[in-house]
C-alpha cells in the first residue's frame, strides 16, 4: 500500500509539471519568433503572389506569437484523474487542462496540456458526484505567474480499492477556486472565468452556432464572461467556418470594451473584432451627444422610411425647362426628357448612386434623338448618332445639370442636408413622424472644421448605415479614400527619409538613404509588406458579413441598430446576451420577440442564467425589491454567497461638503479594490471635481465617477450610489437604471441621498 501524498508533495509535483509546460511554451515561442524573423528578413522581391504569401505567413506567425503571449498567465489551471489509470503516475489517466493545447513532440505528440475548449476537457466543468463522467478526481490548480500557489481536489468517484490511495485534500474546499475568484479585488480589467466555468454556463458556451441564441440573465450571472468564452470556443471548434468571415463582439460603450479587452487574448484568441454600435460605420467613432428623446426617434424603424423618402426627394425632375448649349447645339432639359428617365432608373431597383448612371444614359439617349431629328434624322447614320451621344456625355454643362437633378450622395451628406433643411425634413417625415418628433431631428449643418466624431452620435450610425445601403456607391468615395491613404503613406515615407538625412556630420562622400531610395519606392515597399487580419479587413468594410455576431447588453439596442447587425450577419448565427430588467435606453427592447421577430420569427432559442455570482445576498435582496417594482416577467437570480456587510444609506445636507468623507471611508474598506461613484448624468462632472476622481475611461483608478450608462457591464468592489431619486427621475426607465446601479458591486454598497430616497429603497435602508 502506498503512502498518501502530503500537501507539500502535491504542490511540488504540480510545480514540476508546470515548469515542464512553460518549457514547451517557451520553445514554441522561440520557434515561432524564429520563423517570423526569417519571413520578415526575406528580400522584398518576386511576384505579387510571392509577396502576398510572405505577408500572409508573417501575419500568421505574428498572430501565433500574440496567442502564446496572451496565455502566459494561468497557463494550466486544472487536472482530471480518470478511471482508466491503474496507477496515479500513469499519464493516460490524467488530463491537464489549460488555456491552449501543448504536445510533447519528442514522445509521439503526447498531449501535455489540453485546451479548455476541447471535448476532452469538458468533464472538468460538467462532472459531478452524481455523474462523474469517468472522472475519479478533479483538481483545481491556482498559480501566479509560473508558480503553483495551491491546489483543490474534488474526489468525485473514488473506487473502493483506491480509497486508501486518495491524496490528502488541501485546505481549500470544493468551491474554493470559485469563491476565491468571486471575492478577489477587482483590477479595472475583467477577469476570465475559464478556470471556474459552471455547468449552466458551459452548456451555453458550447451550444451550436446555428441560429440565434438569446442568453437572458440578471446582474452578476456572468453573461458577458459567457459571451466572450463562447466566442473563443466557437473559433476553436468551428475555425474553418469562422476564420474567413470572423466573429464580431458588440458592446455597449468604449469603457466596456476597454474593461473586457484582455479576456479573449488570455483565452488564446486575438482575431475577434470588438466594437460598439457607434463604431459600426467604417472610419467613424461617433461621440456626439444628443437628448435621449432624439436618440429614441432615430432608433425607430420608421426612420428607414424617412431615409428612403429623403433619397427619392433628391431625384428631381425640372419644373421649368433648362436651356443648354452643347457643341453649338441648343438643347432643352425638361420634364418630358427627365420624367421617363427617372422612372426607368427607379424601376431598376438599384441604389441611388448606381441608378444615377441609368438616369444619365436615358437622358442622353432622348436628347441625342432630339438633336438628330433637328438635324434631319433621315440623313444621319448610326455612327453619327453615337458621336452625338459621346458629345453629350462629355458636356460639362449637361453633367452639371444632371448632377443637380440626380446628385451623387454620401450617407453623411444626405443626413446633414436632411437635418439642416426644414423643407427636406418636412417632406421626408410627412405621415411618418409627428411634428414634435420631426423637430427633435432638426439641427444646423456643422462647420468644415468640426470633428466628424463630435458631429455624429451613436444613434446616427445606424442611419448612416441605412443610408449607405440605400445610396450604394459610384466608386468615388473608395477612390478618394485610397488616394488619401496613398498621400499619407508618401508623407510618412518622406518624413522617414528626411530624418535619416538630417545627420550634418555625415561624410558627403558616403551614400545617403535618399541616394538609394525615394519616398515613392519606400512607401510601395512598406505597402507590399502590409497585411490586414480578418478583423482589420472587416472593420474597414461596411458590407462585410460575419460568421457569428455576439451582442452584449443587447437590450439597449434600438430597432435601427438591429437592422445594421442583421445586415452584417445574413446567416443569423448570433449570440444575444442581455437582461430586459436592465433596459435603460428609450429605444431599447421590451421583449426578445419584439427584437428578433421581424428577422427570424420564432426561430430563436432562449437560455437563462440563474445564479448571481457578483452580488452578495445582502445586496441581491435590495436589488430583488427594485426588480419587483420594474414589473418584468423575470425570476431574480440566486446569490451564492454572503458578505456579512449590510448596505447602508447616508443622508447628507451637502454633497460638496460630506460626500468626500463617505468616499474615503468606503475606499479604505476595500483596500486595494476599486470603488465607483454612480450618479445622475447631470451631476457626474461636478462630482468628479468634488471627489477628485478621474473620468469614465480610467477604470484602473482606485475611485472613478460614472453615469449608470457608463457603468453597464462593469463591476466594482464597492459602489457609492449618489442621489438615487435623481437617477430614477432622469429617465422614463429610471427604475431600470437604479437596478443596474445597485448591482455593480461585489462587496459594499453605500447610498448617499439628500433626504429624498426613492420609495422602493426606503423600506430597506431608512
Amino acid at each position: 500500500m502506498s503512502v498518501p501524498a502530503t500537501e507539500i508533495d502535491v504542490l511540488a509535483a504540480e510545480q514540476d509539471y508546470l515548469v515542464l509546460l512553460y518549457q514547451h511554451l517557451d520553445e514554441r515561442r522561440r520557434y515561432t519568433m524564429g520563423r517570423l524573423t526569417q519571413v520578415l528578413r526575406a528580400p522584398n522581391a518576386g511576384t505579387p503572389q510571392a509577396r502576398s504569401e510572405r505577408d500572409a505567413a508573417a501575419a500568421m506567425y505574428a498572430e501565433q506569437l500574440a496567442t502564446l503571449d496572451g496565455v502566459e498567465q494561468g497557463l494550466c489551471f486544472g487536472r482530471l484523474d480518470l478511471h482508466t489509470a491503474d496507477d496515479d503516475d500513469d499519464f493516460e489517466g490524467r488530463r491537464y487542462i489549460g488555456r491552449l493545447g501543448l504536445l510533447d513532440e519528442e514522445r509521439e505528440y503526447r498531449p501535455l496540456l489540453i485546451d479548455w475548449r476541447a471535448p476532452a476537457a469538458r468533464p472538468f466543468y460538467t462532472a459531478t458526484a452524481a455523474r462523474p463522467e469517468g472522472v475519479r478526481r478533479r483538481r483545481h490548480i491556482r498559480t501566479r505567474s509560473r508558480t503553483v500557489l495551491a491546489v483543490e481536489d474534488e474526489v468525485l468517484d473514488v473506487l473502493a480499492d483506491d480509497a486508501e490511495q486518495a491524496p490528502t485534500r488541501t485546505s481549500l474546499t470544493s468551491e474554493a477556486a470559485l469563491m476565491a475568484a468571486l471575492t478577489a479585488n477587482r483590477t479595472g480589467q475583467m477577469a476570465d472565468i475559464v478556470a471556474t466555468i459552471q455547468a449552466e454556463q458551459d452548456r451555453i458556451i458550447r451550444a451550436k452556432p446555428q441560429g440565434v441564441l438569446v442568453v437572458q440573465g440578471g446582474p452578476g450571472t456572468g453573461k458577458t464572461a459567457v459571451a466572450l468564452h463562447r466566442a473563443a470556443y466557437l473559433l476553436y471548434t468551428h475555425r474553418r467556418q469562422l476564420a474567413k468571415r470572423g466573429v464580431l463582439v458588440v458592446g455597449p460603450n468604449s469603457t466596456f470594451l476597454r474593461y473586457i479587452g484582455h479576456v479573449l487574448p488570455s483565452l488564446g484568441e486575438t482575431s475577434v473584432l470588438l466594437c460598439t454600435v457607434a463604431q459600426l460605420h467604417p472610419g467613424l467613432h461617433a461621440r456626439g451627444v444628443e437628448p435621449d428623446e432624439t436618440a429614441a426617434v432615430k432608433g425607430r424603424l420608421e426612420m428607414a422610411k424617412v431615409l428612403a423618402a429623403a433619397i427619392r426627394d433628391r431625384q428631381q425632375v425640372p419644373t421649368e425647362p433648362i436651356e443648354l448649349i452643347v457643341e453649338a447645339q441648343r438643347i432643352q432639359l425638361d420634364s418630358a426628357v427627365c420624367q421617363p428617365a427617372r422612372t426607368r432608373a427607379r424601376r431598376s431597383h438599384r441604389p441611388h448612386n448606381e441608378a444615377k448612371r441609368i438616369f444619365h444614359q436615358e437622358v442622353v439617349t432622348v436628347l441625342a434623338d432630339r438633336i438628330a431629328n433637328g438635324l434631319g434624322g433621315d440623313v444621319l447614320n448610326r455612327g453619327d448618332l453615337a458621336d452625338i451621344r459621346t458629345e453629350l456625355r462629355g458636356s460639362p454643362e449637361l453633367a452639371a445639370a444632371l448632377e443637380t437633378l440626380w446628385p451623387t450622395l454620401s450617407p453623411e451628406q444626405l443626413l446633414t442636408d436632411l437635418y439642416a433643411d426644414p423643407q427636406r425634413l418636412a417632406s421626408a417625415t410627412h405621415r411618418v413622424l409627428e411634428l414634435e418628433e420631426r423637430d427633435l431631428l432638426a439641427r444646423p449643418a456643422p462647420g468644415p472644421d468640426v470633428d466628424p466624431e463630435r458631429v455624429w452620435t451613436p444613434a446616427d450610425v445606424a442611419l448612416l448605415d441605412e443610408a449607405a445601403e440605400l445610396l450604394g456607391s459610384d466608386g468615388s468615395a473608395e477612390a478618394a479614400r485610397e488616394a488619401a491613404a496613398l498621400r499619407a503613406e508618401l508623407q510618412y515615407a518622406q518624413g522617414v527619409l528626411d530624418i535619416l538625412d538630417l545627420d550634418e556630420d555625415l561624410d558627403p562622400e558616403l551614400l545617403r538613404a535618399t541616394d538609394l531610395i525615394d519616398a515613392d519606392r519606400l512607401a510601395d515597399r512598406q505597402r507590399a509588406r502590409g497585411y490586414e487580419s480578418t478583423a482589420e479587413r472587416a472593420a474597414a468594410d461596411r458590407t462585410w458579413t460575419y460568421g457569428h455576431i455576439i451582442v452584449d447588453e443587447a437590450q439597449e439596442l434600438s430597432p435601427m441598430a438591429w437592422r445594421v447587425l442583421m445586415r452584417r450577419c445574413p446567416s443569423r448565427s448570433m449570440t444575444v446576451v442581455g437582461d430586459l430588467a436592465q433596459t435603460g435606453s428609450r429605444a431599447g427592447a421590451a421583449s426578445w420577440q419584439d427584437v428578433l421577430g421581424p428577422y427570424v420569427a420564432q426561430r430563436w432559442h432562449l437560455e437563462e442564467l440563474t445564479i448571481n455570482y457578483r452580488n452578495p445576498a445582502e445586496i441581491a435582496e435590495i436589488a430583488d425589491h427594485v426588480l419587483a417594482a420594474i414589473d418584468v416577467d423575470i425570476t431574480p437570480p440566486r446569490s451564492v454567497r454572503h458578505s456579512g456587510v449590510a448596505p447602508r444609506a447616508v443622508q447628507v445636507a451637502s454633497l460638496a461638503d460630506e460626500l468626500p468623507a463617505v468616499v474615503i471611508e468606503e475606499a479604505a474598506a476595500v483596500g486595494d479594490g476599486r470603488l465607483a461613484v454612480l450618479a445622475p448624468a447631470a451631476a457626474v462632472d461636478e462630482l468628479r471635481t468634488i471627489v477628485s476622481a478621474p473620468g469614465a475611461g480610467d477604470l484602473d483608478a482606485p475611485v472613478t465617477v460614472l453615469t449608470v450608462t457608463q457603468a453597464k457591464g462593469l463591476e466594482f468592489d464597492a459602489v457609492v450610489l449618489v442621489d438615487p431619486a435623481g437617477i430614477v427621475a432622469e429617465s422614463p426607465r429610471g427604475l431600470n437604471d437604479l437596478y443596474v446601479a445597485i448591482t455593480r458591486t461585489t462587496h459594499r454598497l453605500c447610498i448617499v441621498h439628500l433626504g429624498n430616497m426613492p420609495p422602493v429603497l426606503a423600506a430597506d435602508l431608512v
Side-chain angles (χ1 to χ4, degrees), residues 3 39 102 225 300 542 731 740:
V3 178
V39 169
L102 290 175
R300 291 171 50 185
R542 193 198 65 81
S731 168
V740 171

Side-chain angles (χ1 to χ4, degrees), residues 16 24 96 134 137 145 163 199 207 242 281 291 366 391 417 426 501 506 510 641 645 656 677 758:
D16 289 343
H24 280 77
Y96 279 89
R137 177 179 56 208
S145 187
L242 297 179
H281 196 68
V366 174
E391 292 173 355
D417 294 346
D501 218 25
L506 186 66
L510 297 177
R641 62 189 176 93
V645 180
V677 178

Side-chain angles (χ1 to χ4, degrees), residues 691-704:
V691 302
S692 301
D698 193 356
L699 298 180
D700 293 327
V703 178
T704 186

Side-chain angles (χ1 to χ4, degrees), residues 167-197:
T168 303
R169 294 173 63 87
T170 67
S171 59
L172 297 175
T173 67
S174 62
E175 295 182 349
L178 175 61
M179 290 304 164
L182 297 181
T183 58
N185 284 341
R186 270 44 189 173
T187 64
Q189 284 188 329
M190 182 180 179
D192 63 63
I193 61 169
V194 65
T196 58
I197 294 172

Side-chain angles (χ1 to χ4, degrees), residues 243-246 533-535 537-539 541-547 567-570:
K244 291 183 179 180
R245 303 313 311 168
S533 67
T534 298
R537 285 184 285 120
D541 185 354
R542 193 198 65 81
T543 63
W544 190 275
T545 57
Y546 293 88
R567 275 195 289 269
R568 300 290 198 275
C569 192

Side-chain angles (χ1 to χ4, degrees), residues 546-680:
Y546 293 88
H548 193 82
I549 292 181
I550 293 175
V551 189
D552 201 357
E553 300 293 343
Q555 74 279 354
E556 300 299 328
L557 269 62
S558 71
M560 286 300 295
W562 280 109
R563 282 176 67 89
V564 178
L565 294 182
M566 292 299 173
R567 275 195 289 269
R568 300 290 198 275
C569 192
S571 67
R572 304 294 190 259
S573 176
M574 306 178 77
T575 302
V576 175
V577 181
D579 179 14
L580 296 176
Q582 297 186 60
T583 304
S585 169
R586 292 172 185 258
S591 77
W592 296 121
Q593 181 59 38
D594 290 346
V595 167
L596 301 172
Y599 306 102
V600 297
Q602 301 289 335
R603 299 186 302 277
W604 57 275
H605 176 62
L606 176 68
E607 291 279 0
E608 292 194 68
L609 294 170
T610 61
I611 301 175
N612 184 348
Y613 301 101
R614 177 194 302 150
N615 307 131
E618 295 86 348
I619 293 170
E621 181 179 359
I622 296 176
D624 290 349
H625 293 166
V626 178
L627 180 62
I630 296 174
D631 191 25
V632 291
D633 186 19
I634 295 175
T635 302
R638 173 176 56 87
S639 181
V640 297
R641 62 189 176 93
H642 289 76
S643 68
V645 180
R648 67 184 182 120
V650 177
Q651 181 174 346
V652 299
S654 169
L655 291 175
D657 295 335
E658 302 176 63
L659 179 61
V662 175
V663 172
I664 291 172
E665 181 181 355
E666 290 294 319
V670 296
D672 295 332
R674 299 294 182 269
L675 180 146
V677 178
L678 306 184

Side-chain angles (χ1 to χ4, degrees), residues 159 177 188 246 263 309 336 382 410 447 450 465 485 565-566 614 702 705:
L159 299 179
V263 174
R382 248 182 225 180
S410 68
V450 178
D465 191 83
L565 294 182
M566 292 299 173
R614 177 194 302 150
V705 181

Side-chain angles (χ1 to χ4, degrees), residues 181-412:
L182 297 181
T183 58
N185 284 341
R186 270 44 189 173
T187 64
Q189 284 188 329
M190 182 180 179
D192 63 63
I193 61 169
V194 65
T196 58
I197 294 172
Q198 302 301 297
E200 71 170 6
Q201 297 171 327
D202 182 80
R203 184 182 69 254
I204 295 170
I205 289 171
R206 297 175 189 265
K208 294 181 179 180
Q210 291 80 13
V212 178
L213 172 64
V214 177
V215 183
Q216 164 73 42
T221 54
K223 299 185 299 298
T224 298
V226 166
L228 295 175
H229 287 68
R230 177 161 169 75
Y233 171 78
L234 291 177
L235 280 167
Y236 173 86
T237 310
H238 305 280
R239 190 170 298 278
R240 179 175 296 180
Q241 299 95 311
L242 297 179
K244 291 183 179 180
R245 303 313 311 168
V247 174
L248 171 67
V249 176
V250 180
N253 52 59
S254 297
T255 302
F256 175 82
L257 294 186
R258 285 191 290 271
Y259 178 64
I260 68 171
H262 176 71
V263 174
L264 282 167
S266 75
L267 297 174
E269 294 297 340
T270 59
S271 59
V272 176
L273 177 63
L274 278 67
C275 74
T276 68
V277 171
Q279 296 168 304
L280 283 174
H281 196 68
L284 175 66
H285 184 180
R287 305 174 189 270
V289 179
E290 63 189 349
D292 291 343
E293 297 86 347
T294 303
V297 172
K298 292 179 178 179
R300 291 171 50 185
L301 281 178
E302 288 82 359
M303 286 302 298
K305 298 179 181 179
V306 170
L307 294 177
I311 292 173
R312 289 178 68 87
D313 286 344
R314 303 299 291 267
Q315 301 165 356
Q316 299 178 6
V317 170
T319 55
E320 298 291 337
I322 301 174
E323 299 286 344
L324 298 172
I325 303 296
V326 177
E327 296 294 329
Q329 293 291 325
R330 183 180 299 276
I331 62 173
Q332 192 175 71
L333 200 60
D334 54 24
S335 60
V337 174
C338 296
Q339 184 73 46
R342 183 176 71 172
T343 300
R344 179 71 64 86
R346 285 178 173 178
R347 285 179 177 173
S348 71
H349 299 295
R350 294 183 182 181
H352 170 87
N353 289 331
E354 297 176 20
K356 175 182 178 179
R357 290 193 291 270
I358 298 176
F359 177 72
H360 282 207
Q361 290 170 0
E362 292 297 317
V363 169
V364 166
T365 298
V366 174
L367 289 178
D369 289 342
R370 281 189 177 182
I371 294 174
N373 291 333
L375 295 175
D378 295 337
V379 298
L380 296 179
N381 58 32
R382 248 182 225 180
D384 296 328
L385 191 57
D387 290 341
I388 295 174
R389 290 173 180 168
T390 300
E391 292 173 355
L392 288 171
R393 282 193 292 267
S395 168
E397 295 82 5
L398 179 59
L402 294 179
E403 181 67 24
T404 301
L405 298 174
W406 193 299
T408 299
L409 295 171
S410 68
E412 293 80 1

